[in-house]
Amino acid sequence: MKRDLLSVWDLSAKEIDWLIKRAIKLKSGIANKHAPLSGKSIGLFFEKPSTRTKVSFEVGIYQLGGQPIYLNPKEMQLDRGESIIDTVNVLSRYLSGLVIRTYLHFATMVFSLHASIPIINGLSDLHHPCQALADLMTIQEKKDRLKGIRLAYIGDSNNVTNSLIEAAARTGMDMTIACPEGCEPEPDLLNRTRDEAKGEIVVIRSPEEAITEADVIYTDAWVSMGQEKGSKKKKGRLRDYQINSALLRRAKKDVLVLHCLPAHRGEEITDDVMDGPNSAVFDQAENRLHTTKALLEFLIK
Ligand code: CP
Ligand code: NVA
């Protein structure tokens, strides 16, 4: 039976552990002489801009011996009214897998339901599971463990936050989300993950409190793609949630700073922190490639 990755929740704790170990091995170069995607084509259907996801998938597919095909919805018959269901039906007969970056998470579910090939969510309004895998790998690399790690997420709760919450619950990290009113994660997602979480997942207001005991500090854009309406007001509410050197001084000396990128320097994070000694944001971005390759090996048969 085909497997999809729509959210981190689609993976068991054991599978996440395998993917991270495999990605670390692939990064070391030990396991690179094989071509599991030889003769296979993978579609990349992107309705939103992307640098890391698009390029890491294209390069990863190529390195595994396969062929990536970038599909711009604006250049497809979809744009002239062909239905998603017919499109997915046809694509399933050519491709061995399909990565989608879209607006409504519901669309990834429609693709999943009607496709006979694995569907990988390359970002929706609710989830960004491929990012979370690279984040976990980076934490494992830098801190040598996941279980018991204290992750502080500061800022707007979004797709990246949701995937990190699921990742924390599955791997035994503790997670504190510090955000202003109106920027909290979905209560349903919180309740569902808390039921299974081995660590604690809490939402508080104070970024200072959140980072005090943190091993990892994470932030993301204050305004996500497709959510530009009302952004001026929202940015005002998030003003006190910037990751800057004053905040970092209150954290542990060896705290790791992560950001999924693209960063809005001077908004959610300052230059000195992003380019400073605690930051691993570019290693994190590199790890998108290694985790993507591990994921492709795992899902594409
Ligand atoms: N982090 C991430 O998904 O980046 P892109 O939007 O560039 O793909
Ligand atoms: N939360 C951001 C992530 C970008 C990679 C967005 O959805 O725009």
Side-chain angles (χ1 to χ4, degrees), residues 101 123 128 158-160 220 224-225 260-262:
R101 171 165 287 204
L123 182 147
H128 197 2
N158 56 24
N159 41 14
V160 169
D220 182 19
S224 287
M225 291 180 277
C260 61
L261 306 181

Side-chain angles (χ1 to χ4, degrees), residues 47-269:
E47 292 188 296
K48 289 174 177 172
S50 170
T51 299
R52 281 141 289 266
T53 308
K54 176 181 186 290
V55 180
S56 62
F57 267 100
E58 291 203 0
V59 172
I61 292 163
Y62 170 76
Q63 289 184 0
L64 295 177
Q67 177 201 31
I69 303 180
Y70 186 69
L71 301 166
N72 178 350
K74 290 264 167 284
E75 293 169 1
M76 295 173 74
Q77 296 291 8
L78 266 174
D79 204 48
R80 295 179 56 247
E82 187 172 15
S83 76
I84 288 192
I85 295 172
D86 290 350
T87 304
V88 173
N89 204 331
V90 171
L91 292 178
S92 291
R93 290 162 190 247
Y94 301 141
L95 303 170
S96 300
L98 185 62
V99 185
I100 5 181
R101 171 165 287 204
T102 189
Y103 290 89
L104 290 181
H105 187 70
F106 183 69
T108 67
M109 295 159 90
V110 173
F111 272 75
S112 159
L113 193 68
H114 295 282
S116 56
I117 52 173
I119 298 296
I120 300 174
N121 178 4
L123 182 147
S124 65
D125 60 345
L126 288 188
H127 294 278
H128 197 2
C130 299
Q131 181 63 50
L133 290 176
D135 302 340
L136 292 175
M137 175 183 174
T138 312
I139 297 169
Q140 176 68 44
E141 268 186 327
K142 305 284 178 192
K143 296 283 175 193
D144 214 25
R145 71 197 162 101
L146 293 172
K147 196 166 186 297
I149 285 286
R150 210 160 248 290
L151 170 68
Y153 182 94
I154 314 291
D156 181 41
S157 303
N158 56 24
N159 41 14
V160 169
T161 329
N162 291 341
S163 289
L164 284 170
I165 291 171
E166 293 190 342
R170 282 275 144 96
T171 59
M173 291 194 290
D174 295 306
M175 184 166 173
T176 307
I177 299 131
C179 61
E181 211 180 322
C183 294
E184 297 89 353
E186 295 291 322
D188 284 354
L189 184 124
L190 269 180
N191 291 335
R192 172 166 56 76
T193 43
R194 270 180 185 147
D195 280 348
E196 207 189 281
K198 292 164 202 102
E200 59 170 20
I201 299 172
V202 290
V203 182
I204 62 173
R205 292 276 171 250
S206 160
E208 290 81 11
E209 196 185 325
I211 56 121
T212 312
E213 292 298 319
D215 301 300
V216 183
I217 300 178
Y218 199 118
T219 191
D220 182 19
W222 286 346
V223 179
S224 287
M225 291 180 277
Q227 296 176 7
E228 289 77 12
K229 210 169 150 213
S231 61
K232 207 170 159 204
K233 240 179 159 173
K234 188 174 180 188
K235 282 184 187 177
R237 287 206 304 276
L238 282 155
R239 217 183 26 234
D240 297 334
Y241 291 80
Q242 183 186 66
I243 310 296
N244 53 36
S245 49
L247 187 70
L248 211 62
R249 269 196 292 278
R250 308 168 81 118
K252 288 184 187 171
K253 249 192 148 38
D254 65 346
V255 73
L256 189 67
V257 175
L258 298 181
H259 189 310
C260 61
L261 306 181
H264 307 79
R265 290 169 176 260
E267 285 189 6
E268 74 273 6
I269 192 163

